[in-house]
Amino acid sequence: MGGRDAGPYRIDEMIPAEAIAERIGVLAREIEAHFAGTRQLVVVGLLRGSFIFIADLVRALDLVVEVDFLEASSYGNAMQSSREVRILKDLSSGIGGRDVLVVEDIVDTGHTLHHVLKLLRARAPARLETIALLDKPSRREVDIRATWVGFEIPDAFVVGYGIDYAQRDRNLPFIGQVVRPE
Ligand code: 5GP
C-alpha cells in the first residue's frame, strides 16, 4: 500500500493514481455523450482543489472546451446550519446561454456547491452540470448531488491529487487519507 510519512501525520493511500485515471476515462465518455453538439463547453474549475482534476479531465474530453476558474471560500461557525460562501475570484468570461460544467474536488456538506450553482444559475447558462471527484454523502447538510461523481468515500480527511492539508500535499499523485497519531 502506498503512502507517505509527512511528519506529524501519516498519509495512507486510498485511491491510487491509476484508478483515478481509469475513472476519468469513463466519466469523460459520459460527459461527451451528454454535451454532444455543444459548440464550446465552459469547464469551470473551483480553485484550488480541482486544479489537477480539471487538467486531467479536459485532456480526456473529446469536446471543444474553454477553461475558466472560480474561487470560493467557505467559512463560518460549524454550529450554524448555513455557512457563508464568499467569491474570491470570479469567472473571466460570461456564461449566459452557454453550456457549463462545474468541476469540484469534494462535495462534503454541499454548501459550497449549492452556493456556487445558485450564483451561476442566476447568469442563465443554457445547461449547468457538475462533476465532483469525491463525494462524502454521509456528511451532507444540503440536499445536493453532482451530476457525475468520481468516487464516493467515507467521512475521512483526504489529501493529494490537488487537495491540500494546510496547503501541503496537493502534489501527491493519489488520493490519501490523513492519519494522525493516537
Ligand atoms: P462543502 O461546502 O461541500 O462542505 O465543502 C467542500 C470543500 O471542503 C471542498 O471543496 C474542500 O475544499 C473541502 N473539503 C471537504 N472535505 C475535505 C477533505 O477531506 N480534505 C480537504 N483537504 N478538504 C476537504
Side-chain angles (χ1 to χ4, degrees):
M1 178 136 150
R4 198 182 75 170
D5 182 356
Y9 57 95
R10 201 179 75 225
I11 297 170
D12 287 349
E13 186 174 279
M14 180 189 268
I15 308 173
E18 299 73 26
I20 299 171
E22 195 177 312
R23 183 74 183 127
I24 287 176
V26 171
L27 292 171
R29 302 294 84 78
E30 292 181 18
I31 293 166
E32 285 164 7
H34 182 85
F35 285 112
T38 295
R39 218 161 40 87
Q40 188 162 298
L41 179 66
V42 186
V43 183
V44 173
L46 298 193
L47 292 172
R48 289 176 239 175
S50 74
F51 83 103
I52 291 179
F53 182 36
I54 192 174
D56 283 345
L57 182 65
V58 293
R59 283 181 290 178
L61 282 177
D62 188 14
L63 290 171
V64 178
V65 303
E66 178 178 328
V67 175
D68 208 339
F69 292 98
L70 186 76
E71 187 170 11
S73 139
S74 65
Y75 60 98
N77 187 333
M79 302 298 285
Q80 292 170 342
S81 60
S82 158
R83 293 187 307 165
E84 188 183 349
V85 175
R86 269 195 313 149
I87 299 301
L88 301 179
K89 186 220 168 285
D90 206 340
L91 297 178
S92 298
S93 304
I95 55 165
R98 309 192 54 193
D99 285 341
V100 177
L101 175 66
V102 174
V103 181
E104 168 74 302
D105 56 354
I106 309 175
V107 183
D108 188 33
T109 64
H111 288 290
T112 306
L113 195 58
H114 172 74
H115 277 82
V116 165
L117 291 180
K118 198 165 80 174
L119 175 89
L120 297 184
R121 216 171 275 125
R123 299 177 186 180
R127 283 189 286 182
L128 181 61
E129 306 292 354
T130 53
I131 181 167
L133 177 66
L134 304 174
D135 187 2
K136 296 184 193 172
S138 65
R139 295 260 309 155
R140 202 71 92 252
E141 293 174 10
V142 178
D143 185 19
I144 196 166
R145 197 176 191 282
T147 319
W148 294 281
V149 168
F151 302 90
E152 280 194 6
I153 60 168
D155 179 13
F157 191 82
V158 296
V159 292
Y161 197 72
I163 301 165
D164 75 304
Y165 180 23
Q167 300 308 327
R168 293 172 48 152
D169 306 316
R170 292 191 197 274
N171 58 328
L172 294 176
F174 56 86
I175 295 289
Q177 176 175 357
V178 171
V179 182
R180 294 183 186 85
E182 298 299 311

